[in-house]
Structures are given as structure tokens and as C-alpha cells.
Coordinates of all heavy atoms in Angstrom, one line a residue:
M1 N 130.0 99.5 114.7 CA 130.3 99.8 113.3 C 131.8 99.9 113.2 O 132.5 100.3 114.1 CB 129.7 101.2 113.0 CG 128.4 101.1 112.5 SD 128.2 102.6 111.5 CE 126.5 102.8 111.6
N2 N 132.2 99.5 112.0 CA 133.6 99.6 111.7 C 133.9 100.8 110.9 O 133.4 101.0 109.8 CB 134.0 98.3 110.9 CG 135.5 98.2 110.7 OD1 136.3 99.1 111.1 ND2 136.0 97.1 110.1
D3 N 134.7 101.7 111.4 CA 135.0 103.0 110.7 C 136.2 102.9 109.8 O 136.7 103.9 109.2 CB 135.3 104.1 111.8 CG 134.0 104.5 112.5 OD1 132.9 104.3 111.8 OD2 134.0 105.0 113.6
A4 N 136.8 101.7 109.7 CA 138.0 101.5 108.9 C 137.6 101.7 107.4 O 136.5 101.3 107.0 CB 138.6 100.2 109.1
E5 N 138.4 102.3 106.6 CA 138.2 102.5 105.2 C 138.3 101.2 104.5 O 139.1 100.4 104.8 CB 139.1 103.5 104.6 CG 138.9 104.9 105.1 CD 139.9 105.9 104.5 OE1 140.2 105.7 103.3 OE2 140.2 106.9 105.1
P6 N 137.4 100.9 103.5 CA 137.5 99.7 102.7 C 138.7 99.7 101.9 O 139.3 100.8 101.5 CB 136.2 99.7 101.9 CG 135.8 101.2 101.8 CD 136.3 101.8 103.1
P7 N 139.3 98.6 101.5 CA 140.5 98.5 100.7 C 140.2 99.1 99.3 O 139.1 99.0 98.8 CB 140.8 97.0 100.6 CG 139.6 96.3 101.0 CD 138.8 97.2 101.9
I8 N 141.1 99.8 98.8 CA 141.0 100.4 97.5 C 141.2 99.3 96.4 O 142.2 98.6 96.5 CB 142.1 101.5 97.3 CG1 141.8 102.6 98.3 CG2 142.0 102.1 95.9 CD1 142.9 103.7 98.4
N9 N 140.3 99.3 95.5 CA 140.4 98.3 94.4 C 141.3 99.0 93.3 O 140.8 99.6 92.4 CB 139.0 98.0 93.8 CG 139.1 96.9 92.8 OD1 140.2 96.3 92.5 ND2 138.0 96.6 92.2
D10 N 142.6 98.9 93.5 CA 143.5 99.5 92.6 C 144.1 98.5 91.6 O 144.9 97.6 92.0 CB 144.6 100.2 93.4 CG 145.6 101.0 92.5 OD1 145.3 101.2 91.4 OD2 146.6 101.4 93.1
L11 N 143.7 98.5 90.4 CA 144.1 97.6 89.4 C 145.7 97.6 89.2 O 146.3 96.6 89.0 CB 143.4 97.8 88.0 CG 143.7 96.8 86.9 CD1 143.3 95.4 87.3 CD2 143.0 97.2 85.7
A12 N 146.2 98.8 89.3 CA 147.7 99.0 89.1 C 148.5 98.2 90.2 O 149.6 97.9 89.9 CB 148.0 100.5 89.1
S13 N 147.9 98.0 91.3 CA 148.6 97.4 92.4 C 148.6 95.8 92.2 O 149.4 95.2 92.8 CB 148.0 97.7 93.8 OG 146.7 97.2 93.9
T14 N 147.7 95.3 91.4 CA 147.6 93.9 91.2 C 148.2 93.5 89.8 O 148.6 92.3 89.7 CB 146.2 93.4 91.3 OG1 145.4 94.1 90.4 CG2 145.6 93.6 92.7
V15 N 148.1 94.3 88.8 CA 148.6 94.0 87.5 C 149.7 95.0 87.2 O 149.5 96.2 87.2 CB 147.5 94.2 86.4 CG1 148.0 93.9 85.1 CG2 146.3 93.2 86.8
P16 N 150.9 94.5 86.9 CA 152.0 95.4 86.6 C 151.7 96.2 85.4 O 151.2 95.7 84.4 CB 153.2 94.5 86.4 CG 152.7 93.1 86.2 CD 151.3 93.1 86.8
L17 N 152.0 97.5 85.5 CA 151.8 98.3 84.3 C 152.8 98.0 83.2 O 154.0 97.7 83.5 CB 152.0 99.8 84.7 CG 150.9 100.3 85.7 CD1 151.2 101.8 86.1 CD2 149.5 100.2 85.1
M18 N 152.4 98.2 82.0 CA 153.3 97.8 80.9 C 153.3 99.1 80.0 O 152.3 99.7 79.7 CB 152.7 96.7 80.1 CG 153.4 96.3 78.9 SD 152.6 94.9 78.2 CE 153.4 94.8 76.6
T19 N 154.5 99.4 79.6 CA 154.7 100.6 78.7 C 154.8 100.0 77.3 O 155.2 98.9 77.1 CB 156.0 101.3 79.0 OG1 157.1 100.5 78.9 CG2 155.9 101.9 80.4
L20 N 154.2 100.8 76.4 CA 154.2 100.4 75.0 C 155.5 100.9 74.3 O 155.9 102.1 74.4 CB 153.0 100.9 74.3 CG 151.7 100.4 74.8 CD1 150.5 101.1 74.0 CD2 151.5 98.9 74.7
S21 N 156.1 100.0 73.5 CA 157.3 100.4 72.8 C 156.8 101.2 71.5 O 155.7 101.2 71.2 CB 158.1 99.2 72.4 OG 157.4 98.4 71.4
L22 N 157.8 101.7 70.8 CA 157.5 102.4 69.6 C 156.9 101.5 68.6 O 155.9 101.8 67.9 CB 158.8 103.1 69.0 CG 158.6 103.8 67.7 CD1 157.7 105.0 67.8 CD2 160.0 104.3 67.2
L23 N 157.4 100.2 68.5 CA 156.9 99.3 67.6 C 155.4 98.9 67.9 O 154.6 98.7 67.1 CB 157.7 98.0 67.6 CG 157.3 96.9 66.6 CD1 157.3 97.4 65.2 CD2 158.2 95.7 66.8
D24 N 155.1 98.8 69.2 CA 153.7 98.6 69.7 C 152.8 99.7 69.2 O 151.7 99.4 68.7 CB 153.6 98.5 71.2 CG 154.4 97.3 71.8 OD1 154.6 96.3 71.1 OD2 154.8 97.4 73.0
W25 N 153.2 100.9 69.3 CA 152.4 102.1 68.9 C 152.2 102.1 67.4 O 151.1 102.4 66.9 CB 153.0 103.4 69.4 CG 152.7 103.7 70.8 CD1 153.6 103.7 71.8 CD2 151.4 104.1 71.3 NE1 152.9 104.0 73.0 CE2 151.6 104.3 72.7 CE3 150.2 104.3 70.8 CZ2 150.6 104.7 73.6 CZ3 149.1 104.7 71.6 CH2 149.3 104.8 73.0
I26 N 153.3 101.8 66.7 CA 153.2 101.8 65.2 C 152.2 100.7 64.8 O 151.3 100.9 63.9 CB 154.6 101.6 64.5 CG1 155.4 102.9 64.8 CG2 154.4 101.3 63.1 CD1 156.9 102.7 64.4
A27 N 152.3 99.5 65.3 CA 151.4 98.4 65.0 C 150.0 98.8 65.4 O 149.0 98.5 64.6 CB 151.9 97.1 65.7
L28 N 149.8 99.4 66.5 CA 148.4 99.8 66.9 C 147.8 100.8 66.0 O 146.7 100.6 65.6 CB 148.5 100.4 68.3 CG 147.2 100.8 69.0 CD1 146.2 99.6 69.1 CD2 147.4 101.4 70.3
I29 N 148.6 101.8 65.5 CA 148.1 102.8 64.6 C 147.7 102.1 63.2 O 146.7 102.4 62.7 CB 149.1 103.9 64.4 CG1 149.1 104.7 65.7 CG2 148.7 104.8 63.2 CD1 150.3 105.7 65.8
I30 N 148.6 101.2 62.8 CA 148.4 100.6 61.5 C 147.1 99.7 61.6 O 146.3 99.6 60.7 CB 149.6 99.7 61.1 CG1 150.7 100.7 60.7 CG2 149.3 98.8 59.9 CD1 152.1 100.0 60.4
L31 N 146.9 99.0 62.7 CA 145.7 98.2 62.9 C 144.5 99.0 62.9 O 143.4 98.6 62.4 CB 145.8 97.4 64.2 CG 146.8 96.2 64.2 CD1 147.0 95.6 65.6 CD2 146.2 95.1 63.3
I32 N 144.5 100.2 63.6 CA 143.4 101.1 63.6 C 143.0 101.6 62.2 O 141.9 101.5 61.8 CB 143.6 102.3 64.6 CG1 143.6 101.8 66.0 CG2 142.6 103.3 64.4 CD1 144.1 102.8 67.0
V33 N 144.0 102.0 61.4 CA 143.8 102.5 60.1 C 143.2 101.3 59.2 O 142.3 101.5 58.5 CB 145.1 103.0 59.4 CG1 145.0 103.2 58.0 CG2 145.6 104.3 60.1
G34 N 143.8 100.1 59.3 CA 143.3 99.0 58.6 C 141.9 98.6 59.0 O 141.1 98.3 58.1
G35 N 141.6 98.7 60.3 CA 140.2 98.4 60.7 C 139.2 99.4 60.2 O 138.1 99.0 59.8
L36 N 139.6 100.6 60.3 CA 138.7 101.7 59.8 C 138.5 101.5 58.3 O 137.4 101.7 57.8 CB 139.2 103.1 60.1 CG 139.2 103.5 61.6 CD1 139.9 104.8 61.8 CD2 137.8 103.5 62.1
N37 N 139.5 101.2 57.5 CA 139.4 101.0 56.1 C 138.5 99.8 55.8 O 137.6 99.9 54.9 CB 140.8 100.7 55.5 CG 140.7 100.8 54.0 OD1 140.3 101.7 53.4 ND2 141.2 99.7 53.3
W38 N 138.6 98.7 56.5 CA 137.7 97.6 56.3 C 136.3 97.9 56.7 O 135.3 97.5 56.1 CB 138.2 96.3 57.1 CG 139.2 95.5 56.4 CD1 140.5 95.4 56.6 CD2 138.9 94.7 55.2 NE1 141.1 94.6 55.7 CE2 140.2 94.2 54.8 CE3 137.8 94.4 54.5 CZ2 140.3 93.3 53.7 CZ3 137.9 93.6 53.4 CH2 139.1 93.1 53.0
G39 N 136.1 98.7 57.7 CA 134.8 99.2 58.1 C 134.1 100.0 57.0 O 133.0 99.8 56.7
L40 N 134.9 100.9 56.4 CA 134.4 101.7 55.2 C 134.1 100.8 54.0 O 133.2 101.1 53.3 CB 135.4 102.8 54.9 CG 135.5 103.9 55.9 CD1 136.6 104.9 55.5 CD2 134.2 104.7 55.9
I41 N 134.9 99.8 53.8 CA 134.7 98.9 52.7 C 133.3 98.1 52.9 O 132.5 98.0 52.0 CB 135.8 97.8 52.5 CG1 137.1 98.5 52.0 CG2 135.4 96.7 51.6 CD1 138.3 97.7 52.0
G42 N 133.2 97.7 54.1 CA 131.9 97.0 54.5 C 130.7 97.9 54.5 O 129.6 97.5 54.0
L43 N 130.8 99.1 54.9 CA 129.7 100.0 55.1 C 129.4 100.7 53.8 O 128.2 100.8 53.4 CB 130.0 101.0 56.2 CG 128.9 102.0 56.5 CD1 127.7 101.2 57.1 CD2 129.4 103.0 57.5
L44 N 130.4 101.2 53.1 CA 130.2 102.1 51.9 C 130.8 101.6 50.7 O 130.8 102.3 49.6 CB 130.7 103.5 52.2 CG 130.2 104.2 53.5 CD1 130.9 105.5 53.7 CD2 128.7 104.5 53.3
N45 N 131.4 100.4 50.7 CA 132.2 99.9 49.6 C 133.2 100.9 49.1 O 133.4 101.1 47.9 CB 131.2 99.5 48.4 CG 131.9 98.6 47.4 OD1 132.8 97.9 47.8 ND2 131.4 98.6 46.2
L46 N 133.9 101.5 50.1 CA 134.9 102.5 49.8 C 136.2 102.1 50.4 O 136.4 102.0 51.6 CB 134.5 103.9 50.5 CG 135.4 105.0 50.4 CD1 135.7 105.4 49.0 CD2 134.9 106.2 51.2
D47 N 137.2 101.9 49.5 CA 138.5 101.5 49.9 C 139.4 102.7 49.9 O 139.9 103.1 48.9 CB 139.1 100.4 49.0 CG 140.5 99.9 49.3 OD1 141.0 100.3 50.4 OD2 141.0 99.1 48.6
L48 N 139.6 103.3 51.1 CA 140.4 104.5 51.2 C 141.9 104.3 50.8 O 142.5 105.1 50.2 CB 140.3 105.2 52.5 CG 139.0 105.9 52.8 CD1 139.1 106.6 54.2 CD2 138.8 107.0 51.8
I49 N 142.4 103.1 51.3 CA 143.8 102.8 51.0 C 144.0 102.7 49.5 O 145.0 103.2 48.9 CB 144.3 101.6 51.8 CG1 144.4 101.9 53.3 CG2 145.7 101.2 51.3 CD1 144.7 100.8 54.1
G50 N 143.1 101.9 48.8 CA 143.2 101.8 47.4 C 143.0 103.1 46.7 O 143.6 103.4 45.7
A51 N 142.1 103.9 47.2 CA 141.8 105.2 46.6 C 143.0 106.2 46.7 O 143.4 106.9 45.8 CB 140.6 105.9 47.1
A52 N 143.6 106.1 47.9 CA 144.8 107.0 48.1 C 146.0 106.6 47.4 O 146.8 107.4 46.9 CB 145.0 107.1 49.6
L53 N 146.3 105.3 47.3 CA 147.5 104.8 46.8 C 147.4 104.1 45.4 O 148.4 103.7 44.8 CB 148.1 103.7 47.8 CG 148.4 104.3 49.2 CD1 148.9 103.1 50.1 CD2 149.4 105.4 49.1
G54 N 146.1 104.0 45.0 CA 145.9 103.3 43.7 C 145.6 101.9 43.8 O 146.3 101.2 44.5
N55 N 144.5 101.4 43.2 CA 144.2 100.0 43.4 C 145.2 99.1 42.6 O 145.4 99.3 41.5 CB 142.8 99.8 42.8 CG 141.7 100.2 43.7 OD1 141.8 100.2 44.9 ND2 140.6 100.6 43.2
G56 N 145.7 98.1 43.4 CA 146.6 97.2 42.8 C 148.0 97.6 42.6 O 148.8 96.9 42.0
T57 N 148.3 98.9 43.0 CA 149.7 99.4 42.8 C 150.6 98.7 43.9 O 150.1 98.2 44.9 CB 149.7 100.9 43.0 OG1 149.3 101.3 44.3 CG2 148.8 101.6 41.9
A58 N 151.9 98.9 43.7 CA 152.9 98.4 44.6 C 152.7 99.1 46.0 O 152.8 98.4 47.0 CB 154.3 98.6 44.1
A59 N 152.4 100.3 46.0 CA 152.2 101.1 47.2 C 151.0 100.5 48.0 O 151.1 100.4 49.2 CB 152.0 102.6 47.0
S60 N 149.9 100.3 47.3 CA 148.7 99.8 48.1 C 148.9 98.3 48.5 O 148.5 98.0 49.6 CB 147.4 99.9 47.2 OG 147.5 99.0 46.1
R61 N 149.7 97.5 47.7 CA 150.0 96.2 48.2 C 150.9 96.2 49.4 O 150.8 95.4 50.3 CB 150.6 95.4 47.0 CG 149.5 95.1 45.9 CD 150.2 94.4 44.8 NE 151.0 93.2 45.1 CZ 150.6 92.0 45.1 NH1 149.4 91.7 44.6 NH2 151.4 91.0 45.4
L62 N 151.9 97.1 49.4 CA 152.8 97.3 50.5 C 152.0 97.7 51.8 O 152.2 97.2 52.9 CB 153.9 98.3 50.2 CG 154.8 98.6 51.4 CD1 155.6 97.3 51.7 CD2 155.8 99.7 51.0
A63 N 151.0 98.6 51.6 CA 150.2 99.1 52.8 C 149.4 97.9 53.3 O 149.3 97.7 54.5 CB 149.3 100.2 52.3
Q64 N 148.8 97.1 52.4 CA 148.1 95.9 52.8 C 149.0 94.9 53.5 O 148.6 94.3 54.5 CB 147.4 95.3 51.6 CG 146.3 96.2 51.1 CD 145.7 95.7 49.7 OE1 146.3 94.8 49.1 NE2 144.6 96.3 49.3
L65 N 150.2 94.7 53.0 CA 151.1 93.8 53.7 C 151.5 94.3 55.1 O 151.5 93.5 56.0 CB 152.4 93.7 52.8 CG 153.5 92.9 53.4 CD1 153.1 91.4 53.6 CD2 154.8 93.0 52.6
L66 N 151.7 95.6 55.2 CA 152.0 96.2 56.5 C 150.8 96.0 57.5 O 151.0 95.7 58.7 CB 152.4 97.6 56.4 CG 153.7 97.9 55.8 CD1 153.9 99.4 55.6 CD2 154.9 97.3 56.6
I67 N 149.6 96.1 57.0 CA 148.4 95.9 57.9 C 148.4 94.5 58.3 O 148.1 94.2 59.5 CB 147.2 96.4 57.1 CG1 147.1 97.9 57.0 CG2 145.9 95.9 57.9 CD1 146.1 98.4 56.0
G68 N 148.7 93.5 57.4 CA 148.7 92.1 57.7 C 149.8 91.8 58.8 O 149.5 91.0 59.7
L69 N 150.9 92.4 58.6 CA 152.0 92.1 59.5 C 151.7 92.7 60.9 O 152.0 92.1 61.9 CB 153.3 92.7 59.0 CG 154.0 92.0 57.8 CD1 155.2 92.8 57.3 CD2 154.3 90.6 58.2
A70 N 151.0 93.9 60.9 CA 150.6 94.5 62.2 C 149.6 93.6 62.8 O 149.6 93.5 64.1 CB 150.0 95.9 61.9
G71 N 148.7 93.0 62.1 CA 147.7 92.0 62.6 C 148.4 90.9 63.3 O 148.0 90.5 64.4
L72 N 149.4 90.3 62.6 CA 150.2 89.2 63.3 C 150.9 89.7 64.5 O 150.9 89.0 65.5 CB 151.2 88.6 62.2 CG 150.6 87.9 61.1 CD1 151.7 87.5 60.1 CD2 149.9 86.7 61.5
Y73 N 151.5 90.9 64.5 CA 152.1 91.4 65.7 C 151.1 91.6 66.8 O 151.4 91.4 67.9 CB 152.8 92.8 65.3 CG 153.6 93.3 66.5 CD1 154.9 92.9 66.7 CD2 153.0 94.3 67.3 CE1 155.6 93.4 67.7 CE2 153.8 94.8 68.4 CZ 155.1 94.4 68.6 OH 155.8 94.9 69.6
G74 N 149.9 92.0 66.4 CA 148.8 92.2 67.4 C 148.4 90.9 68.1 O 148.1 90.9 69.3
I75 N 148.4 89.8 67.3 CA 148.2 88.5 67.9 C 149.2 88.2 69.0 O 148.9 87.8 70.1 CB 148.1 87.4 66.9 CG1 146.8 87.6 66.0 CG2 148.0 86.0 67.5 CD1 146.8 86.8 64.7
A76 N 150.5 88.4 68.6 CA 151.6 88.1 69.5 C 151.5 89.0 70.7 O 151.8 88.6 71.9 CB 152.9 88.2 68.8
F77 N 151.2 90.3 70.5 CA 151.1 91.2 71.6 C 150.0 90.8 72.5 O 150.1 90.9 73.8 CB 150.9 92.6 71.0 CG 150.8 93.7 72.0 CD1 152.0 94.1 72.6 CD2 149.6 94.3 72.4 CE1 152.0 95.2 73.5 CE2 149.6 95.3 73.3 CZ 150.8 95.7 73.9
A78 N 148.8 90.4 72.0 CA 147.7 90.0 72.8 C 148.0 88.8 73.7 O 147.7 88.7 74.8 CB 146.5 89.7 72.0
L79 N 148.8 87.8 73.1 CA 149.2 86.6 73.8 C 150.2 87.0 74.9 O 150.1 86.5 76.0 CB 149.8 85.6 72.9 CG 148.9 85.0 71.9 CD1 149.7 84.1 70.9 CD2 147.8 84.1 72.6
K80 N 151.0 88.0 74.6 CA 152.0 88.5 75.7 C 151.2 89.1 76.8 O 151.5 88.9 78.0 CB 153.0 89.4 75.0 CG 154.0 89.9 76.0 CD 155.1 90.7 75.3 CE 154.7 92.0 74.9 NZ 155.8 92.9 74.4
L81 N 150.2 89.9 76.5 CA 149.4 90.6 77.5 C 148.6 89.5 78.3 O 148.5 89.7 79.6 CB 148.4 91.6 76.9 CG 149.0 92.9 76.4 CD1 147.8 93.7 75.8 CD2 149.6 93.6 77.6
G82 N 148.1 88.5 77.7 CA 147.3 87.5 78.4 C 148.2 86.7 79.3 O 147.7 86.3 80.3
G83 N 149.4 86.5 78.9 CA 150.3 85.7 79.8 C 150.8 86.5 81.0 O 151.2 85.9 82.0
R84 N 150.7 87.8 81.0 CA 151.1 88.6 82.2 C 150.1 88.4 83.4 O 150.4 88.7 84.5 CB 151.2 90.0 81.8 CG 152.3 90.4 81.0 CD 152.4 91.8 80.7 NE 153.6 92.2 80.0 CZ 154.7 92.7 80.7 NH1 154.6 92.9 82.0 NH2 155.8 92.9 80.0
R85 N 148.9 88.0 83.1 CA 147.9 87.9 84.2 C 148.0 86.7 85.0 O 147.5 86.6 86.1 CB 146.5 88.0 83.6 CG 146.1 89.3 83.0 CD 144.7 89.4 82.6 NE 144.3 90.7 82.3 CZ 143.2 91.1 81.9 NH1 142.2 90.2 81.8 NH2 142.9 92.3 81.6
R86 N 148.7 85.7 84.5 CA 148.8 84.4 85.3 C 149.9 84.5 86.3 O 150.7 85.1 86.6 CB 149.1 83.3 84.3 CG 147.9 83.1 83.4 CD 148.0 82.0 82.5 NE 146.8 81.9 81.7 CZ 146.7 81.5 80.5 NH1 147.8 81.1 79.9 NH2 145.6 81.4 79.9

């Protein structure tokens, strides 16, 4: 019998850890809020952003624009993460 310990499957030793910047966190939070809002629209026909900021107002349009920009940033971020594995 071999009494040697099996190698530890440590993901951190094979994939470099990445810290998130402030912009990454902001985009992530905006994406979560936007995703939850879309979920509520689909489930209950309830637009919380529109209800909170007014439907069609400049503030709600700005919030929707920020969610869209966060989505684009999320695509770029995902591509950057995918490129790190190679």
C-alpha cells in the first residue's frame, strides 16, 4: 500500500486569483439589480425601476442605460475571464 497523501486538488494553485476592481463590483451590482427587475417584470409584470423612478422619466431611462452599459461591461469581463484559462 502507498501511504503517501494524494495531491490536493487546489483550484487556486492552477488558476491565478483575480481581484475585482471597484468598477467590476459596481457593474456586478447593477447587473444583479437589472436581472432581478427583469425577473419581476416577467413573473409579476412589476417594473420596480419604473415604479421607483417613474415610467419614461429621464431618471428611469438613465437607470436603464446604466444597466445596458453594465451588461456590455459584463460581456467584456466574461471574455477577459475566459481568456485567463488558456
Side-chain angles (χ1 to χ4, degrees):
M1 273 205 206
N2 186 358
D3 290 334
E5 292 184 29
I8 297 173
N9 186 5
D10 185 11
L11 185 61
S13 66
T14 58
V15 177
L17 294 177
M18 180 177 165
T19 58
L20 297 178
S21 70
L22 179 62
L23 183 59
D24 296 336
W25 279 109
I26 291 170
L28 182 61
I29 291 167
I30 292 173
L31 283 171
I32 291 169
V33 168
L36 291 173
N37 191 56
W38 274 108
L40 287 172
I41 291 171
L43 185 64
L44 303 173
N45 198 25
L46 173 64
D47 180 7
L48 281 182
I49 292 175
L53 302 176
N55 282 329
T57 64
S60 68
R61 290 176 50 102
L62 178 63
Q64 292 168 349
L65 175 64
L66 289 175
I67 292 169
L69 290 174
L72 291 175
Y73 185 84
I75 292 170
F77 184 74
L79 291 173
K80 184 171 76 171
L81 284 179
R84 289 181 170 263
R85 290 189 172 179
R86 293 184 181 146

